[in-house]
């Protein structure tokens, strides 16, 4: 079945679902030290509510779902949700974005439940720096988690690295170098001006052009098309000479990639956001708790699709102050 198009003729086939706003890290550029004001428990969508929303989305032709957070693996019983979503007819790709620290314990159950792949966020390979950036995280646990994901068949493993000036910009070449020997697909991401409570989000921006120049100190980059398998996101991929893995670049700020945006975002409290960087939301939770079924929710999702702006307009306006990345899910 074909998927729904928005007002600018972009096919919308991808739903990102934030399953919790809670997190076991406090990354410097994502969260204030004490964390954010948490959504009250009763306002967080229950698993059966998320499943109904996914069914409604699938009825409109959306076929890809990614679970995110906060940290999705801190939510109890997450494999049960994976299991339920994996069974929804029409959903042919189910992935998850995680900080990786709980993967050693959970990768196998997640794979058994029907998860296909994981993206792991990893901003540094230096243990002390990792501890500082995440405000308390242990690098060794994340590296073990990446291996556990691979062993469980959650492949290809993509590594997301947000480059922040003064925090890890001096490590870009070291991180890219890992792709020479390992089958890692490292994607360098430009810092977005969200999470206004943090100075990093203001001052830490490094452009893809600069990041790429740092990678190129290792050798020339050859375009690698849409690699790794099944990439239809905003990353552009390259390979270093003789490398097993790839290096990708995601440029939400420097490059206008909105023209190929294919996604909607569901927040943990049940609001559907047509654009990451705009404040508009459609309230699905209120409708669900008023008794809406699949057809009514599908109508609301179609409304959110119609609301998608042509672009995030960051060049023209400040990003909305309301929610941080940990609340929207990235
Ligand atoms: N906790 C999980 C994780 O860290 O992968 C999932 C949620 S996290 C919000 C999703 C992604 O958003 C992570 O890769 C994180 O590095 C990224 N992120 C957070 N704040 C960001 C910002 N201001 N600009 C760009 N990416 C950001
Ligand atoms: Fe948590 Fe992910 Fe934000 Fe880090 S980036 S604080 S792991 S939600």
């Amino acid at each position: 079945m074909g998927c729904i198009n928005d007002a600018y003729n972009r096919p919308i086939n991808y739903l990102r679902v934030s399953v919790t706003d809670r997190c076991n890290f406090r990354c410097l550029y994502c969260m204030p030290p004490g964390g954010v004001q948490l959504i009250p428990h009763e306002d967080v969508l229950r698993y059966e509510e998320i499943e109904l929303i996914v069914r409604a989305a699938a009825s409109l032709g959306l076929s890809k779902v990614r679970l995110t957070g906060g940290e999705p693996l801190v939510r109890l019983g997450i494999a049960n949700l994976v299991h339920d979503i994996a069974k929804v007819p029409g959903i042919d790709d189910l992935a998850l974005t995680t900080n990786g620290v709980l993967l050693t314990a959970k990768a196998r159950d997640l794979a058994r439940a029907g998860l296909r792949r994981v993206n792991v966020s990893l901003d540094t390979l230096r243990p002390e720096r990792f501890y500082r950036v995440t405000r308390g995280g242990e690098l060794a646990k994340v590296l073990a988690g990446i291996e556990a994901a691979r062993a469980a068949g959650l492949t290809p493993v993509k590594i997301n690295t947000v480059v922040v000036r003064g925090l890890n910009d001096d490590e870009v070449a070291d991180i890219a170098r890992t792709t020479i020997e390992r089958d890692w697909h490292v994607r360098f991401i430009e810092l977005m001006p969200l999470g206004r409570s943090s100075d990093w989000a203001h001052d830490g921006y490094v452009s893809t052009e600069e990041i790429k120049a740092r990678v190129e100190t290792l050798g020339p980059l050859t375009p690698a098309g849409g690699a790794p398998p099944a990439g239809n996101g905003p990353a552009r991929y390259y390979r270093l000479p003789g490398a097993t893995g790839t290096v990708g670049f995601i440029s939400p700020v420097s490059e206008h990639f909105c023209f190929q945006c294919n996604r909607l975002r569901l927040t943990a409290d049940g609001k559907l956001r047509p654009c990451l960087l705009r404040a508009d939301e459609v309230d699905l939770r209120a409708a669900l708790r008023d008794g809406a079924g699949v057809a009514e929710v599908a109508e609301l999702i179609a409304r959110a699709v119609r609301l998608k702006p042509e672009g995030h307009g960051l060049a023209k306006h400040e990003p909305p102050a309301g929610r941080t990345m940990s609340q929207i899910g990235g």
Side-chain angles (χ1 to χ4, degrees):
M1 142 178 201
C3 63
I4 185 168
N5 281 14
D6 72 2
Y8 303 94
N9 223 19
R10 292 172 295 200
I12 308 302
N13 63 359
Y14 178 24
L15 179 67
R16 293 176 70 99
V17 179
S18 172
V19 298
T20 179
D21 60 338
R22 280 151 218 263
C23 188
N24 43 5
F25 285 176
R26 296 274 179 278
C27 299
L28 287 173
Y29 56 81
C30 181
M31 278 210 196
V36 290
Q37 173 83 42
L38 291 175
I39 300 169
H41 194 64
E42 63 277 14
D43 289 349
V44 174
L45 287 182
R46 298 187 289 271
Y47 283 162
E48 60 271 24
E49 292 174 323
I50 295 176
E51 189 205 344
L52 190 150
I53 291 170
V54 171
R55 282 187 190 281
S59 78
L60 296 171
L62 279 80
S63 57
K64 298 175 194 312
V65 173
R66 174 173 297 276
L67 303 179
T68 175
E71 172 48 43
L73 300 188
V74 301
R75 184 146 174 196
L76 282 181
I78 186 71
N80 298 333
L81 178 68
V82 166
H83 178 260
D84 292 344
I85 293 178
K87 282 193 315 199
V88 173
I91 299 302
D92 60 25
D93 190 20
L94 178 53
L96 180 140
T97 297
T98 172
N99 62 31
V101 79
L102 294 175
L103 270 176
T104 305
K106 301 196 178 193
R108 202 192 295 213
D109 280 352
L110 291 166
R112 269 202 210 113
L115 191 72
R116 298 281 189 86
R117 299 174 284 115
V118 287
N119 288 8
V120 182
S121 302
L122 181 60
D123 297 331
T124 169
L125 296 171
R126 301 182 192 171
E128 334 69 60
R129 184 177 278 187
F130 189 86
Y131 183 86
R132 194 165 68 83
V133 171
T134 58
R135 296 199 184 94
E138 227 183 287
L139 175 65
K141 286 193 179 156
V142 174
L143 296 176
I146 292 171
E147 282 317 306
R150 195 213 303 272
L154 297 172
T155 52
V157 176
K158 296 184 201 163
I159 309 291
N160 288 346
T161 303
V162 178
V163 181
V164 185
R165 194 173 306 285
L167 212 60
N168 65 350
D169 57 324
D170 58 343
E171 229 183 309
V172 165
D174 289 344
I175 297 171
R177 194 179 288 113
T178 60
T179 68
I180 296 177
E181 299 214 326
R182 290 183 226 185
D183 186 18
W184 278 12
H185 301 279
V186 173
R187 295 118 50 87
F188 292 107
I189 303 174
E190 286 178 343
L191 182 71
M192 287 182 267
L194 264 147
R196 314 286 299 170
S197 49
S198 147
D199 288 343
W200 294 107
H202 278 283
D203 307 329
Y205 172 75
V206 184
S207 70
T208 288
E209 194 186 355
E210 183 177 339
I211 301 168
K212 203 168 166 197
R214 287 178 187 245
V215 176
E216 282 170 329
T217 60
L218 298 173
L221 287 171
T222 312
N232 74 338
R236 302 232 168 107
Y237 289 97
Y238 299 84
R239 208 178 285 279
L240 282 162
T244 315
T246 60
V247 179
F249 301 95
I250 302 182
S251 324
V253 179
S254 70
E255 201 184 298
H256 191 62
F257 65 17
C258 303
F259 73 93
Q260 57 178 7
C261 183
N262 61 348
R263 57 197 63 189
L264 293 172
R265 292 179 164 82
L266 180 65
T267 64
D269 56 349
K271 310 289 161 63
L272 200 55
R273 280 177 88 101
C275 173
L276 169 66
L277 294 165
R278 301 285 277 265
D280 308 289
E281 295 180 340
V282 173
D283 190 350
L284 300 188
R285 190 189 74 221
L288 280 168
R289 295 191 182 171
D290 265 356
V294 171
E296 289 100 327
V297 172
E299 186 38 53
L300 291 172
I301 297 174
R303 183 187 300 171
V305 169
R306 288 194 293 274
L307 279 174
K308 271 183 78 67
E310 187 170 15
H312 57 50
L314 264 189
K316 287 188 225 119
H317 64 77
E318 286 280 291
R323 292 193 193 250
T324 63
M325 201 67 132
S326 66
Q327 292 168 316
I328 310 168

